[in-house]
Structure formats: C-alpha cells, structure tokens
Amino acid sequence: MRFLFLGDVVGRPGRVAVQERLPRLRQQWKLDCVVINGENAAGGFGITEAICDELLAAGADAVTLGNHSWDQREALVFIERQDRLVRPANYPKGTPGRGAAVIEARNGARVLVVNVMGRIYMEALDDPFQALERELTACPLGEVADAVIVDFHAEATSEKQAAGYFLDGRASLVVGTHTHVPTADARILPGGTAYLSDAGMCGDYDSVLGMQKDEPIRRFLQKTPGARLEAAGGPGTLSGLAVEIDDGTGLAKAVCPVRIGPHLAPSAPPWDEA
C-alpha cells in the first residue's frame, strides 16, 4: 500500500500547491491513500466546507484538524455531515464531529485515520494517549483496520516521540503536525511504525510559519498588540511523508520525506527504484 501524508495546509499558497500537484502525484506514484492536515487552510485559520471539498476533490481521502479546528465557525456544523473530516479525538465528549474515521483506500484497504492533539504548551484537552488507546482498541491494526494513520497535532517533539513509541507496532504511521517546520527524523521504529516528528506545512516557506513576516517580527520586537496575522502569498511548497506499507502486516516498509516546491528538486517516493 502506498500512502502520502501532507502537513498543515496554510492559506491559498498551500491549497494551490495541493490542487496543482496532488492529482499528478496520485497518478505518478500510484498512491492508494492520501491524508492532509487542513486546519490552517482558510487564510491560516481553520477550514471551511468549500475548502474541505476542494482538498478532497484534489485527491485527499481524509482531512485532519487541530487547535484551529473551530476558527471558522461553520466547521462546527458541516463537520457533522462530512465523515472524512477528522478533528482531535481528545476533545471533550459532545464536541461535534469525530476523532477517528475508517476510510477505504484506492486498493480497497480499510484505513483508520486518528487525529489527537497534544497538551504540552497547548489547550488542556483530555489525555491524547488514552484517546489513542481507545481508538486503536476499537479498531486494531490487522483485525479491523488494514492500516492505521495517526496525526499527532502537538507543539512538543517529546510528546510526539512518546506517542510514536507508545503505538509502535500498532500503527502504520505516527506523524506530527502543528509546528509547520519539517523535521529530519523520518524513520521506521523498531516495531514497524513509520514516524516523523513534524511533516512541515504546505504553504509559502518565505514566511514565518506560513504568515507574512512583518507582523510576527514586530510582535517579537515590541510585544504589543498589532495587526492581524495574514497568510503569506508566495508560491507554495508541498511537505509531508510518503510511506510504503506492507499489505500483510499493515506496518511500514519504507519512508521518504516529501518536499516539492520552489527551488527544490522533485521528491521521489520510497518505492521508486530509479
């Protein structure tokens, strides 16, 4: 099974990069399943129904969220009817939407997609580790699910790494999102789970985390209220992780970081023998 995860889509540059590049990638790399974090897709803050539909139409099989899930208030409503939009599973009971979804990949495989949010330097939500245990117990790898993909949306790399080892051998992929900076630690853990601390962002990297540079810099210099942050508008880069998953075990066979954009050589998937 060939899988692609793309990090936080930030504003129009990220959306355009997905719309222009993902359809071709699905065809060239023969991707069976694609999951995208879309929590910053609407100008850097949240997601709208129209944008969610655009990402799905471009080739995403599921869209995950994070701490900006509800920045666009319409998400509180449309998430109930969009079963491929997944918000953090450790939101309190009664929160709209779902924290996990089983989707069908292009090859017919059953893929469990789980989204949780960390608690270090983040909102005080329910325990993400207990939420993960609950979801994977209900839909275990190799029994109910052919593959398990976990988006751990968190600030601290220690929390993400702990989650990776906590799920090692029980998930196909544990990938971090939220910090918008791609890390260089893509690997397969001893138990067979693919891992990456942060997938980076799909957006304009000539920016501060996808935002126009002037206002973030001013805030660091002056520490006073100012203008609203605005998404940068330059060319977007795709950033994420390609994973080859064994059809028999649901565990990872190969991983490769993906960076496709201005001034970057085209990435090759881990199964590309060339």
Side-chain angles (χ1 to χ4, degrees):
M1 179 176 175
R2 295 174 174 181
F3 178 83
L4 177 66
F5 183 92
L6 294 177
D8 306 46
V9 175
V10 182
R12 183 176 297 276
R15 302 198 310 268
V16 170
V18 169
Q19 291 168 334
E20 291 183 347
R21 299 179 185 275
L22 181 55
R24 183 178 299 177
L25 285 180
R26 286 215 72 144
Q27 181 179 16
Q28 291 179 338
W29 292 3
K30 297 179 172 61
L31 294 170
D32 296 302
C33 187
V34 177
V35 175
I36 300 176
N37 185 289
E39 70 134 15
N40 300 117
F45 300 96
I47 190 168
T48 65
E49 185 168 19
I51 289 173
C52 182
D53 290 344
E54 287 175 3
L55 296 177
L56 294 172
D61 295 292
V63 177
T64 54
L65 297 173
N67 59 300
H68 290 288
S69 295
W70 317 122
D71 284 6
Q72 304 295 324
R73 294 184 65 85
E74 68 177 85
L76 290 162
V77 178
F78 83 82
I79 195 171
E80 292 283 14
R81 58 178 177 264
Q82 179 49 265
D83 57 9
R84 291 194 286 166
L85 182 62
V86 184
R87 49 85 171 154
N90 54 325
Y91 270 120
K93 185 178 180 180
T95 303
R98 64 208 54 77
V102 177
I103 60 175
E104 183 176 347
R106 295 279 177 95
N107 64 344
R110 300 159 300 175
V111 181
L112 173 66
V113 179
V114 185
N115 184 203
V116 294
M117 198 158 81
R119 295 193 294 184
I120 299 176
Y121 309 122
M122 304 280 282
E123 297 176 51
L125 298 184
D126 297 340
D127 183 355
F129 290 85
Q130 289 189 15
L132 289 170
E133 184 66 38
R134 179 182 70 243
E135 299 296 347
L136 269 67
T137 298
C139 191
L141 179 65
E143 297 178 31
V144 180
D146 299 308
V148 174
I149 309 303
V150 175
D151 174 356
F152 201 105
H153 196 79
E155 188 78 32
T157 50
S158 59
E159 194 174 17
K160 299 176 188 181
Q161 288 180 340
Y165 286 110
F166 177 66
L167 297 179
D168 189 20
R170 296 193 288 161
S172 310
L173 167 64
V174 176
V175 59
T177 56
H178 177 64
T179 64
H180 295 197
V181 178
T183 55
D185 60 342
R187 62 193 188 277
I188 299 175
L189 301 179
T193 295
Y195 175 81
L196 179 64
S197 289
D198 202 282
M201 68 174 182
C202 296
D204 179 6
Y205 276 79
D206 186 17
S207 65
V208 176
L209 304 184
M211 298 295 167
Q212 294 176 13
K213 292 172 283 191
D214 290 348
E215 178 58 20
I217 293 171
R218 189 207 61 76
R219 291 186 185 189
F220 282 113
L221 292 172
Q222 298 182 10
K223 298 294 183 182
T224 57
R228 186 178 186 273
L229 293 174
E230 298 286 345
T237 292
L238 284 189
S239 184
L241 187 71
V243 184
E244 186 173 21
I245 297 171
D246 186 271
D247 291 337
T249 66
L251 297 173
K253 296 170 58 179
V255 298
C256 180
V258 174
R259 311 277 187 270
I260 305 175
H263 314 300
L264 292 173
S267 297
W271 50 86
D272 188 345
E273 297 178 355

